Structure formats: C-alpha cells, structure tokens
Amino acid sequence: MITKSQADHKGRDEVYQWIEFLQQNPEDKATQEKIILRYQNLVESIAMKYSRNSMIHEDLVQVGMIGLLAAVRRYDASFGKSFESFAIPTMIGEIKRFIRDKTWSVHVPRRIKELGPKIKKAVDVLTATNQKSPTIKEIAVYLDASEEEVLETMEMSKSYNALSVDKKVEADSEGGTVALIDLIGSEEGGYNTIDYKIILEKILPVLSEREQQILRFTYFENLSQKETGEKLGISQMHVSRLQRRALRRLREAIQSKSSEVFD
C-alpha cells in the first residue's frame, strides 16, 4: 500500500521530470499544460493576494502563469533549491511588474511608481514610531529623497484610478443624478456662424446690387469669375475689379464703428 508521503514524493519526482522534459522540448504543449494544471492553485492564490479588485484578478493569474513558465525555463535543480521556492518569487516579480507598469489609468514616470510604495511604508513606520502622522520633510529624510519628489509622488499616485465619464454625481437637492459626460462642455461653432451671419446681413446693404450678386456667385455658389461674368453679361476683368472693390468696402464696413452698420 502506497502512503500519502510516498504519493507526494512520487508526484514531486514526476513534476521535475516534466520540467526537465519541457526545458529540452520547449514546444511540447502537453507537458506545459500538465505543469500549469499542477500549479494552477498556487498561481491563483498568489494572484488573489495582489488583486485590488476582481477586474484585474484574471489578468494577474495570466501574468502569474507567464512567471511560472519563465521559472520552468530558468530552473536548475543542481543548485539544490526546490522548484516551488524558485518559482514563487519569479511569479510575484512578474505580477508586481504588471501592476506597476500596466494598471495605472494615467501614464506616470517609473520613479513615481517605485517611490509610491516606499512612501506608504515610510508613513506606516514613522507613524508607529512617533505616534503621529509624519510630515513631508520627515518622509523625505527617511527615504533620502527630496520633499518635491515626495509631494509629486503623493499627488501622482492619485492617478492610479481614473473616474469613468459614466459615473453618476448628484445633480440637485432632490437626489437626482447626472453622468459626468453630460457635464462636459464642448465648443459650439454654430454661435460664431450666427454672429457672422448677423454682421453680414448688416453690412451687405453698403454694396450695390451687382456687387452683392458677384459675391454670391463667387463665394456662395462657387462660380469662377468667368462664369460669373457670363451670367451677368460682363467681362471677367470687370468681375474681378468689382469683386475687389466689394471686399474692400466690406472690410471698411466691418472695421467701422458707425451705428448705421451695427445698430
């Protein structure tokens, strides 16, 4: 009869055989799957420890699996170290690197990401030692960093999570809510168009009927000066001269502060 200890020993020997075989045959999917299934619970438990919420847990499991396979490739049994003791730090390293580099809502420099956890630890230590919350200067001295770096890191750490534009906020005293996206304004070009139209309506009367026709044909109907001349029964040169004169008179009218134009 095989005891539990003997079964565990046999199982460990089998895992090391799989690892050795996979190192020699890295493309063997069947052996790779056996190792993954064997350590699946271990990877899940490590990922759970670092999951801040359920949204990233599955990502951390996948990252942990990548660390597991990396450990398989680099493991050397001749050092006398068990595979588990070698693999666990590798998986944790991959997970921490993923959290540091991939889970921030806003891009921030790496030095900020690395200093953030140190500041948190420093605050805990100094609070326990001095029985009061530490000042920025005390934190900076403890970490051998500048006060500016500490302040910058503390401020940038707020960028770890960004608010969704669909987040509801209170809109009135009766408890009504509105989404943030509905509070974000945008430039409305139509107002300028209306202003230009009002100004144009006021100053067009300073032009003769023919000048107004020439501007309408060339600028609103996109006719050439030659086509405009044919419509009006005049030469292209005459159209060009009248167009220049009309534009000059419009510029003068716009610049004028005469109440006859703008009132």
Side-chain angles (χ1 to χ4, degrees):
M1 181 178 179
I2 299 177
T3 65
K4 185 178 183 299
S5 176
Q6 290 174 325
D8 291 342
H9 184 73
K10 181 181 179 181
R12 287 174 59 84
D13 288 344
E14 191 175 42
V15 168
Y16 285 99
Q17 290 173 10
W18 293 342
I19 292 173
E20 185 178 355
F21 181 83
L22 192 59
Q23 288 175 339
Q24 298 172 0
N25 303 274
E27 301 301 322
D28 188 274
K29 301 298 182 183
T31 304
Q32 178 176 298
E33 186 175 354
K34 289 178 182 178
I35 296 174
I36 289 175
L37 290 174
R38 177 61 181 260
Y39 289 104
Q40 185 173 6
N41 290 339
L42 176 62
V43 175
E44 287 272 1
S45 64
I46 294 174
M48 183 64 71
K49 178 180 177 181
Y50 291 93
S51 295
R52 283 187 170 83
N53 54 57
S54 58
M55 293 178 62
I56 68 168
H57 177 70
E58 291 301 321
D59 291 333
L60 296 189
V61 171
Q62 295 300 317
V63 173
M65 290 297 182
I66 293 173
L68 172 67
L69 295 177
V72 169
R73 289 193 299 271
R74 299 199 301 266
Y75 179 65
D76 187 345
S78 65
F79 286 106
K81 192 175 186 179
S82 71
F83 174 70
E84 289 81 357
S85 62
F86 176 78
I88 289 174
T90 304
M91 289 186 284
I92 291 175
E94 290 291 337
I95 288 174
K96 285 185 174 180
R97 191 175 301 111
F98 176 84
I99 292 173
R100 183 193 67 195
D101 296 338
K102 303 296 184 182
T103 60
W104 289 66
S105 298
V106 180
H107 175 73
V108 297
R110 174 171 290 185
R111 61 184 176 81
I112 298 296
K113 296 176 182 177
E114 293 177 344
L115 189 56
K118 294 179 182 178
I119 290 177
K120 185 177 184 303
K121 184 176 180 180
V123 170
D124 292 341
V125 172
L126 292 172
T127 300
T129 302
N130 302 328
Q131 296 299 303
K132 65 181 182 67
S133 297
T135 64
I136 298 299
K137 183 176 181 180
E138 289 171 337
I139 296 172
V141 171
Y142 183 86
L143 295 174
D144 193 23
S146 68
E147 293 182 39
E148 290 76 13
E149 288 175 324
V150 173
L151 284 170
E152 181 184 18
T153 302
M154 294 174 73
E155 182 64 29
M156 291 298 290
S157 294
K158 298 176 183 177
S159 299
Y160 189 86
N161 291 311
L163 284 177
S164 168
V165 293
D166 294 320
K167 179 179 174 61
K168 299 290 185 179
V169 296
E170 188 172 337
D172 52 49
S173 59
E174 297 180 357
T177 60
V178 62
L180 287 176
I181 186 65
D182 296 326
L183 300 177
I184 300 175
S186 59
E187 186 174 344
E188 176 52 69
Y191 293 119
N192 288 335
T193 302
I194 293 174
D195 290 341
Y196 296 149
K197 185 177 180 181
I198 292 173
I199 293 174
L200 193 59
E201 288 176 348
K202 286 180 177 291
I203 64 176
L204 274 179
V206 305
L207 304 179
S208 67
E209 180 64 28
R210 173 150 292 185
E211 289 171 337
Q212 291 185 40
Q213 287 179 317
I214 289 173
L215 293 185
R216 184 172 68 252
F217 289 147
T218 55
Y219 287 101
F220 294 93
E221 298 183 16
N222 294 319
L223 298 181
S224 66
Q225 290 181 347
K226 181 179 179 181
E227 292 170 331
T228 299
E230 291 173 353
K231 270 184 169 289
L232 298 177
I234 58 178
S235 69
Q236 179 179 348
M237 185 175 295
H238 194 189
V239 170
S240 178
R241 185 167 58 251
L242 290 176
Q243 185 185 56
R244 288 197 302 272
R245 187 176 71 181
L247 293 175
R248 184 178 65 254
R249 294 179 67 183
L250 285 179
R251 282 194 295 270
E252 291 172 353
I254 290 173
Q255 295 169 359
S256 172
K257 296 185 181 299
S258 171
S259 60
E260 293 179 0
V261 176
F262 294 104
D263 288 346

